[in-house]
Amino acid sequence: MTYIENHVFDELIIGESASLTRTLTQEDINLFAVMSGDVNPAHVDAEYAKNDMFHKIIAHGMWGASLLSTVLGTELPGPGTIYLDQTLKFEHPVALGDTVTVTLEIINKLPEKHIVELDCRCVNQYGTVVIRGLATVIAPTTKIKRERVELPTVELKPKQEHWYHRLIKAKNSLKPLKTAVVHPVDILSLKGAISSAQEGLITPVLVGPKQKISQAAKEANIDISAYELIATEHSNEAADIAVKLAATKKVEAIMKGKIHTEELMKPIVAKENGLRTGRRMSHVFSLDVPNYPKPIFLTDAAINLFPTLREKCDIVQNAIDLFHALELGTPNVAILSAVETVNEKIPSTLDATALCKMAERGQITGGVLDGPLAFDNAISMESAREKGIFSPVAGNADILVVPDVESGNMLYKQMTYLSGIEAAGMVLGAHVPIILTSRGSDELSRKASCVMALLYARRQK
């Protein structure tokens, strides 16, 4: 066990010194950038820094300067020291791999306020002074001795490219979808629509109260003058007009703004003048999960409350069709329940069994189905093996089919809010794709939903 102990003002002697030696690593540079928020390429890009000596001196020198603070706080004077002032001169660069020794030496004491002045020097492995300066502190007057805290090991993982960005790149020269954006009266929904337009994903037709949309645009500092705007009195009217535009083929998709899902879907599912097809409409979330090797599709967590077996058949087929439209291959479809065995007291296990048999008989096509599966053995190979489950789907699912909207919606919100997972969403089974995200979804989720709708609509045709 080691301790850190301070030197109170009365113990300090002019000429007394303390030193610390460290070697600069790439991990140090990355961590310093994360802590400071400084992502200037001259500071974090080694190739760029080679041609920018001035910034390299300052950037890596700041790492050396931070070591001076370490000595002040842990060695001389130590715990309880209060910084007042510091002047530093960065004389030479501190390069990746350099070993720097920082030394602080007491050069003056001012008893009235317990002020101490210290000479500061940082010297590299060649004996070259890279930083010099003066630190002024208030020395502690009370003795402090504490156990030295063992710092955790920090591992920085590079942020992987969001798979939605890869989808956006895959759109190539596809013509944007002309899309009715329903009631975009808040900053989130309006920015999502306009940024999607700027990416070439949609051509928005803004439908809703003109004054509210204009106010949202003003607050978001967005110019909407280039886009068509159809004024309505309220959100109900906006939904009705969007459906009429889609039914008459004046738009190719509908996008949810700040409007309740139920209010948006009411005219869409209407038997007369709606957008029904011969298939049940259902919603699919696409989730980019950091600790899972591929995106997960979750259905249906938004539209069908307690679907029947016949409706679940359409729900599964809709998700499979989307998977194929995105050119992701043949999906592994996990039919979820609370358990992985058939139990007549749990109806969802019976539905799962029937759906798998329907796939065998060609009533569901394009995917590999297995169920019932509990959530853990659908996404964890280890869990599946522990339960003695061996199938192409168990532990390797692409699509998760939930029993009902209650379980699905709770699962979706748990994954997004507790785990920070990004999600995109759309409704399939209508005459046009319905871009439907949570009202709190960010700009990236809305763009991801638009690119899914674009690829689905164009490739289905």
Side-chain angles (χ1 to χ4, degrees):
M1 187 178 295
T2 59
Y3 295 86
I4 57 172
E5 184 176 358
N6 65 5
H7 300 261
V8 296
F9 181 83
D10 292 338
E11 295 175 340
L12 297 173
I13 302 170
I14 294 178
E16 185 177 359
S17 65
S19 299
L20 176 68
T21 300
R22 290 284 188 274
T23 299
L24 179 63
T25 67
Q26 186 62 54
E27 288 75 16
D28 292 324
I29 295 171
N30 294 342
L31 185 58
F32 198 81
V34 170
M35 296 299 293
S36 64
D38 185 353
V39 293
N40 184 339
H43 302 175
V44 297
D45 188 324
E47 291 302 315
Y48 186 97
K50 287 179 182 178
N51 302 314
D52 195 341
M53 188 59 68
F54 173 76
H55 283 98
K56 184 177 178 183
I57 290 172
I58 301 300
H60 297 171
M62 289 303 294
W63 168 82
S66 69
L67 300 179
L68 295 170
S69 178
T70 300
V71 177
L72 284 170
T74 62
E75 298 290 339
L76 188 71
T81 299
I82 299 174
Y83 242 126
L84 289 180
D85 187 35
Q86 186 173 56
T87 57
L88 296 176
K89 184 178 181 182
F90 299 93
E91 298 188 349
H92 290 278
V94 177
L96 183 65
D98 278 356
T99 298
V100 173
T101 298
V102 300
T103 302
L104 279 77
E105 180 181 344
I106 297 173
I107 58 173
N108 193 22
K109 295 176 64 179
L110 303 174
E112 183 178 350
K113 294 185 178 180
H114 304 109
I115 291 175
V116 176
E117 295 177 341
L118 302 99
D119 177 66
C120 306
R121 282 173 290 118
C122 296
V123 180
N124 66 16
Q125 68 269 32
Y126 304 113
T128 303
V129 176
V130 294
I131 306 171
R132 70 167 70 245
L134 178 71
T136 303
V137 303
I138 298 176
T141 57
T142 303
K143 199 69 176 173
I144 299 175
K145 183 177 181 180
R146 295 284 188 274
E147 181 181 346
R148 184 179 291 272
V149 176
E150 290 294 330
L151 296 177
T153 301
V154 178
E155 180 182 359
L156 296 178
K157 295 183 179 180
K159 190 171 183 179
Q160 296 181 345
E161 182 183 35
H162 204 295
W163 87 278
Y164 300 143
H165 292 304
R166 299 198 294 274
L167 279 184
I168 291 172
K169 292 176 183 177
K171 75 179 179 65
N172 295 324
S173 58
L174 292 177
K175 182 182 177 182
L177 281 180
K178 190 169 184 181
T179 303
V181 186
V182 183
H183 207 244
V185 296
D186 67 325
I187 293 175
L188 277 177
S189 61
L190 187 60
K191 282 187 70 175
I194 301 306
S195 62
S196 297
Q198 292 168 345
E199 290 276 4
L201 305 175
I202 66 171
T203 300
V205 177
L206 308 177
V207 186
K210 183 176 181 179
Q211 184 176 354
K212 290 184 178 180
I213 295 174
S214 299
Q215 181 61 33
K218 182 179 179 181
E219 291 175 4
N221 194 27
I222 296 173
D223 181 7
I224 60 171
S225 60
Y227 305 108
E228 183 179 355
L229 193 157
I230 299 175
T232 69
E233 291 294 325
H234 45 68
S235 55
N236 285 337
E237 185 185 357
D240 289 339
I241 288 177
V243 170
K244 289 177 183 177
L245 291 172
T248 55
K249 299 185 179 180
K250 293 180 180 177
V251 298
E252 302 172 280
I254 293 174
M255 184 176 184
K256 176 185 173 183
K258 190 177 182 182
I259 182 173
H260 286 285
T261 297
E262 183 179 356
E263 186 178 3
L264 174 65
M265 292 301 298
K266 184 176 179 180
I268 291 173
V269 301
K271 291 183 178 180
E272 294 183 7
N273 304 318
L275 299 177
R276 288 181 177 230
T277 64
R279 187 181 291 182
R280 183 76 178 186
M281 294 183 204
S282 63
H283 186 273
V284 179
F285 275 120
S286 173
L287 302 130
D288 195 15
V289 183
N291 57 351
Y292 198 68
K294 53 188 176 179
I296 292 178
F297 290 70
L298 177 67
T299 189
D300 176 352
I303 302 296
N304 293 283
L305 301 183
F306 300 99
T308 64
L309 177 62
R310 178 66 258 173
E311 292 166 349
K312 285 183 180 180
C313 181
D314 284 348
I315 289 170
V316 172
Q317 192 65 64
N318 284 340
I320 292 173
D321 289 350
L322 174 60
F323 202 87
H324 282 286
L326 300 180
E327 297 183 349
L328 297 174
T330 300
N332 293 325
V333 184
I335 315 299
L336 298 185
S337 184
V339 295
E340 61 280 346
T341 54
V342 179
N343 186 330
E344 64 180 6
K345 294 182 179 180
I346 306 177
S348 59
T349 67
L350 303 178
D351 286 350
T353 306
L355 289 168
C356 293
K357 182 56 69 174
M358 292 170 79
E360 288 182 16
R361 296 291 188 265
Q363 293 171 270
I364 298 172
T365 60
V368 180
L369 275 65
D370 192 13
L373 289 173
F375 178 77
D376 57 343
N377 43 60
I379 54 91
S380 168
M381 190 71 71
E382 181 180 351
S383 176
R385 296 296 179 261
E386 286 178 357
K387 297 288 182 68
I389 303 171
F390 297 88
S391 81
V393 178
N396 191 34
D398 295 295
I399 298 173
L400 304 177
V401 181
V402 296
D404 52 51
V405 77
E406 286 184 330
S407 57
N409 197 264
M410 284 189 283
L411 177 58
Y412 158 71
K413 288 178 178 174
Q414 181 271 325
M415 294 175 78
T416 54
Y417 282 90
L418 292 182
S419 304
I421 293 170
E422 299 284 355
M426 61 179 290
V427 174
L428 303 104
H431 279 296
V432 299
I434 315 297
I435 302 163
L436 196 156
T437 58
S438 171
R439 278 177 292 169
S441 294
D442 62 13
E443 185 177 321
L444 177 59
S445 296
R446 294 172 193 270
K447 286 198 293 186
S449 303
C450 288
V451 74
M452 287 203 307
L454 172 63
L455 295 173
Y456 178 80
R458 296 287 181 248
R459 289 173 178 170
Q460 285 291 94
K461 287 183 179 179

